């Protein structure tokens, strides 16, 4: 693109000031490697402006590049403007009923003025929406929006009738302009021999969350293997859509529509196969040549995993770890089928319960696919899929080779090599790095020779060695606060508190925030809250944790979930709170029976006394607030909130809750009053706890964007820092985008008002919760802004997997 012509076009299109245009040109994107929507293939700026409709405040687009490397430039006019986002509606028709979602190349010149990005698909009278991340500035990157990760707004009519795709960049607190580019917008995964059949017919019921998560986990496993598949709703299954397919996966389908069942019968009769998981209707099992077994919940702890029976099938691992608490088994209907894996019990002994049953029509795994032992799951899935689709082995080998250097923010092994050369690696790290390169070369040679299994093994060795070598080069920062939240009141699964804290300390961490009390239950002998049901047999979890912390010199900051009573709360206590009118209602009047109303004086007293009791009875290092807020802007509108606010206002309200939801002076008073209810508890706990235990530190887990969160959820954590109620604050910056994380931390250092800021890193919330490199990169961002520490969520089996890598350098003692 001619530079002067491009700038002139932008000026004519939107009247941008010269200051906004004084930036480098966007380079042309890579050529498309996937199908592009026909309606997106425009060749003139006039066609681009007709295709892209800017929302109010956003500017028209221009076209740049040429041929296969054409792209659309989007001006991010955020400096000195008032619109909450820059947003464009791409007016094209797309049938995504068979696709896993859509993908595009995206370029961001500077992510600092952007809080987050969203993508939407309009269909019928509603939208499917999802957020996406930008991992680096000044570079093109592929963005994938999977249907399984979207949520619905209003009433979309289905993925087959998409008429608009919207791209939005939401404003952050940085008053700056930026610029974006978009190219190669097209579907993903509509082709291929495999269909993942999501149980949309059951998605609105109690199993909806499991339906979504199970489809996402199975899809991610296939993605990681490099095996293409289509994602289809069970309500959209047709005979035509089954043509040319070889395998249909039902990741969690507790019910299957009759029409779909009949079509699957035809599919198997014609030579296709099914792969089913956990609970599936008996007619589906019969189609595969199986009969239902039994539902089993192990009494002494979860199963440990799947143990192969005999030789199993080609490529099947001998053992795959999976911590399953319940299973629904299936047995072969006749001699043509067999059990190829059984469950190993928590005692380490193999049971006779079928874990994997194979038959002429397919295979059944008697639980959903869980993300633990991910490499084992991938190998198992490859063996199962490879029976029917031999090309899957070569696809998986190529994907593993491509992934050898792909972790954290590194795009490939070549990019990682440049970074390692820059480090001038020496000693053990150099030897490990040399081994990684040698393994990568062996993988290429094996693939060229058609030895796919050997290529996969060598590529995984290369990736492990490369990651280890890189982690060895990361420097430590002594004297910082290194903490983990621990959501489980019993510590790390499978370990005592002593073992869990010893592991944490041994890997260089010096603080833990154990979740030991909720709004209606305490995991220790409390006289304020009801103790948990197993106190007599399992003991005082706070004391056990604290004893271990003292042994290994780890700080213990007890974490309380405020207002929410939690699933462990006794049902009688919940009923008593409901009967006393102490629980929340939303704006529509719906009762939230496990959420205590934050404005109720008795609830405030309960929260304060529960936390101060700990300070009085236990020599803990700190008290940590969580859920110290309203659930959202639609809570709480109970009768008590109305009466108490009207008393505060000095007059009655005619239209409740409409009067406090409409813009104006009353709403402003309402928002102030809501904040005051939360702040009262924070202030009172801080004052009283410090009085009974001088030196105790008060902290809080808070939402990441204070300016909006103070209104939406009543959480005014900047004020709490300014007033000294908090000794440190932990914003929950749970994003796997380093750029977004950096933006969060930059803003939060200002809002913390001089108090220590220990940003929350959301390891367990990431797409890959076992990515030590991204964890180390985000720790480095905290150090870049001199926060003095960080807090990681969550201390679980994912954490156990990444801690050794951190200890190689980043958290070394």
């Amino acid at each position: 693109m001619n530079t002067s012509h491009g700038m002139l076009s932008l000026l004519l299109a939107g009247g941008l000031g010269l200051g906004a245009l004084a930036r480098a040109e966007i380079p042309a994107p890579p050529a498309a490697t996937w199908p592009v929507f026909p309606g997106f293939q425009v060749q003139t700026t006039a066609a681009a402006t007709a295709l892209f409709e800017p929302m109010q405040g956003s500017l028209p687009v221009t076209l740049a590049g040429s041929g296969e490397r054409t792209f659309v430039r989007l001006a991010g006019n955020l400096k000195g403007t008032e619109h909450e986002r820059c947003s464009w509606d791409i007016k094209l028709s797309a049938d995504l009923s068979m696709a896993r979602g859509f993908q595009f190349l995206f370029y961001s010149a500077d992510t600092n003025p952007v809080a987050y990005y969203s993508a939407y698909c309009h269909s019928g009278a509603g939208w499917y929406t999802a957020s996406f991340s930008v991992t680096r500035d000044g570079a093109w990157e592929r963005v994938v929006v999977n249907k399984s990760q979207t949520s619905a707004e209003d009433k979309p009519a289905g993925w087959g009738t998409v008429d608009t795709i919207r791209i939005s960049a939401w404003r952050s607190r940085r008053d700056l302009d930026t610029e974006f580019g978009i190219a190669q917008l097209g579907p993903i995964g509509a082709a291929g021999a495999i269909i993942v059949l999501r149980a949309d017919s059951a998605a609105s019921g109690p199993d909806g969350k499991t339906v979504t998560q199970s489809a996402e986990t199975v899809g991610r496993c296939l993605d990681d293997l490099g095996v293409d598949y289509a994602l289809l709703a069970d309500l959209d299954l047709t005979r035509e859509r089954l043509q040319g397919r070889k395998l249909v996966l039902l990741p969690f389908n507790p019910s299957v529509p009759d029409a779909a069942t009949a079509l699957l019968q035809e599919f198997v009769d014609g030579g296709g196969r099914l792969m089913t998981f956990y609970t599936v209707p008996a007619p589906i099992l019969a189609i595969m040549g199986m009969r239902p077994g039994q539902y089993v919940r192990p009494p002494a702890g979860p199963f440990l995993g799947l143990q192969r029976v005999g030789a199993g099938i080609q490529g099947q691992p001998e053992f795959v770890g999976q911590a399953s608490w319940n299973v629904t088994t299936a047995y072969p209907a006749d001699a043509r089928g067999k059990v190829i894996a059984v469950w190993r019990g928590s005692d380490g002994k193999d049971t006779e319960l079928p874990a994997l049953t194979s038959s002429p029509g397919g295979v059944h795994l008697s639980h959903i696919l869980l993300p633990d032992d991910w490499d084992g799951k991938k190998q198992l899935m490859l063996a199962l899929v490879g029976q029917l689709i031999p090309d899957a082995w070569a696809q998986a080998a190529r994907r593993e080779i491509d992934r050898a250097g792909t972790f954290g923010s590194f795009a490939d092994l070549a990019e990682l090599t440049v970074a390692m050369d820059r480090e001038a690696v020496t000693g053990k790290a150099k030897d490990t790095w040399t081994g990684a390169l040698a393994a990568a070369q062996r993988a290429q040679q094996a693939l060229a020779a058609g030895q796919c299994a050997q290529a996969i093994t060598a590529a995984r060795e290369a990736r492990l060695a490369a990651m280890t070598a890189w982690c060895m080069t990361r420097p430590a920062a002594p004297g910082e606060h290194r903490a983990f939240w621990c959501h489980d009141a019993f510590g790390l699964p499978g370990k005592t508190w002593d073992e869990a804290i010893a592991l944490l300390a041994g890997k260089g961490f010096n603080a833990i925030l154990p979740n030991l009390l909720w709004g209606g239950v305490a995991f220790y002998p409390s006289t304020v809250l009801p103790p948990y049901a197993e106190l007599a047999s399992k003991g005082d979890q706070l004391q056990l944790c604290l004893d271990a912390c003292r042994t290994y010199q780890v700080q213990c900051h007890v974490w309380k979930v405020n207002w929410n009573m939690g699933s462990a709360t006794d049902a009688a206590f919940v009923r008593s709170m409901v009967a006393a009118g102490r629980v929340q209602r939303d704006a529509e009047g719906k009762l939230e029976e496990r959420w205590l109303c934050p404005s109720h004086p008795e609830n405030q007293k309960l929260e304060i006394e529960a936390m101060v009791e700990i300070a009085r009875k236990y020599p803990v290092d700190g008290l940590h607030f969580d859920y110290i807020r309203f659930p959202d802007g639609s809570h709480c509108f109970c009768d008590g909130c109305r009466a108490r606010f009207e008393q505060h206002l000095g007059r009655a309200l005619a239209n409740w809750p409409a009067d406090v939801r409409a813009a104006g002076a009353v709403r402003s008073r309402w928002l102030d009053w809501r904040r005051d209810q939360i702040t009262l508890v924070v202030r009172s706990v801080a004052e009283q706890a410090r009085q009974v235990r001088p030196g105790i530190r008060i902290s809080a887990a808070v939402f990441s964007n204070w300016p909006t969160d103070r209104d939406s959820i009543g959480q005014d954590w900047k004020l709490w820092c300014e007033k000294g109620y908090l000794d440190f604050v932990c914003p929950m910056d749970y994003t796997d985008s380093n750029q977004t994380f950096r933006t969060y931390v930059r803003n939060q250092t200002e809002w913390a008002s001089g108090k220590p800021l220990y940003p929350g890193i959301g390891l367990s919330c990431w797409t890959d919760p076992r990515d030590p490199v991204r964890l180390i990169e985000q720790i480095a961002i905290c150090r870049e802004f001199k926060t003095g520490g960080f807090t990681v969520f969550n201390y679980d089996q994912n954490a156990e997997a990444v801690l050794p890598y951190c200890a190689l350098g980043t958290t070394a003692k």
Side-chain angles (χ1 to χ4, degrees), residues 38 41 83 127 267 379 392 502 511 524 530 541 557 583 588 641 657 661 737 741 783 796:
Q41 296 170 334
H83 48 278
W127 297 84
F267 176 69
Q379 186 65 31
Y524 51 88
Q541 297 304 310
H557 299 259
V583 299
E588 304 301 321
C641 277
R661 305 197 80 194
S737 165
F741 185 80
R783 292 172 178 173
D796 56 14

Side-chain angles (χ1 to χ4, degrees), residues 227-247:
V227 176
D228 200 13
Y229 69 95
L231 178 66
L232 185 65
D234 57 0
L235 298 170
D236 294 333
L237 188 66
T238 64
R239 186 174 290 107
E240 293 73 24
R241 287 170 174 162
L242 282 168
Q243 287 180 356
R245 316 288 177 169
K246 296 183 179 180
L247 178 64

Side-chain angles (χ1 to χ4, degrees), residues 425-608:
V425 182
T426 60
K428 189 175 180 180
K430 182 177 181 180
D431 294 340
T432 306
W433 175 242
T434 301
L437 296 177
Q441 186 175 17
R442 290 198 307 274
Q444 293 281 9
Q445 292 168 345
L447 180 60
Q451 300 169 334
C452 296
Q454 293 89 329
I456 291 171
T457 299
R460 289 178 178 171
E461 290 176 4
R463 190 172 196 271
L464 179 61
M467 188 160 58
T468 301
W470 184 85
C471 291
M472 288 176 174
T473 68
R474 300 301 91 196
E480 67 188 356
H481 181 89
R482 302 172 180 169
F484 260 98
W485 281 292
C486 184
H487 194 275
D488 193 325
F490 303 97
L492 197 59
K495 287 183 167 55
T496 65
W497 269 115
D498 189 84
E499 292 168 334
I501 299 301
L503 173 64
L504 196 65
K507 301 306 179 185
F509 281 75
N510 53 31
I512 190 166
L513 293 83
N515 181 195
L516 294 170
L517 68 165
W518 291 63
V521 65
F523 288 84
Y524 51 88
S526 172
T527 59
V528 177
L529 289 171
Y532 76 112
E534 299 168 296
L535 176 64
S537 60
K538 293 188 175 180
D540 181 343
Q541 297 304 310
L542 198 163
Q543 190 64 57
L544 291 169
C545 177
L546 187 57
D547 288 346
C549 287
R550 291 294 171 263
T551 299
Y552 300 103
Q553 297 182 329
V554 170
Q555 296 177 32
C556 179
H557 299 259
V558 176
W559 162 13
K560 184 184 193 303
V561 174
N562 301 101
W563 314 120
N564 188 299
M565 285 184 271
S567 59
T569 296
D570 183 74
F573 183 83
V574 175
R575 289 194 297 269
S576 71
M577 294 295 104
V578 173
R582 290 173 59 175
V583 299
Q584 296 190 37
R585 290 186 183 273
D586 69 10
E588 304 301 321
K590 178 186 174 184
L591 188 73
E592 304 287 1
E593 65 173 19
R594 287 187 180 266
W595 276 92
L596 296 171
C597 170
S599 80
H600 196 295
E602 290 301 313
N603 292 344
Q604 293 171 347
K605 180 181 177 183
L606 182 69
E607 292 291 331
I608 295 164

Side-chain angles (χ1 to χ4, degrees), residues 218-284:
V218 166
R220 185 162 72 87
C221 192
L222 294 172
D223 277 338
D224 279 5
L225 287 170
V227 176
D228 200 13
Y229 69 95
L231 178 66
L232 185 65
D234 57 0
L235 298 170
D236 294 333
L237 188 66
T238 64
R239 186 174 290 107
E240 293 73 24
R241 287 170 174 162
L242 282 168
Q243 287 180 356
R245 316 288 177 169
K246 296 183 179 180
L247 178 64
V248 176
L249 282 73
L250 287 77
F252 175 62
N253 300 64
S255 61
V256 178
D258 291 343
T261 300
L263 289 168
L264 292 175
Q265 178 73 67
E266 288 183 20
F267 176 69
V268 173
D269 290 345
R273 296 191 72 190
L274 307 180
M275 188 185 301
T276 58
F277 298 79
Y278 192 31
T279 302
V280 66
I284 299 296

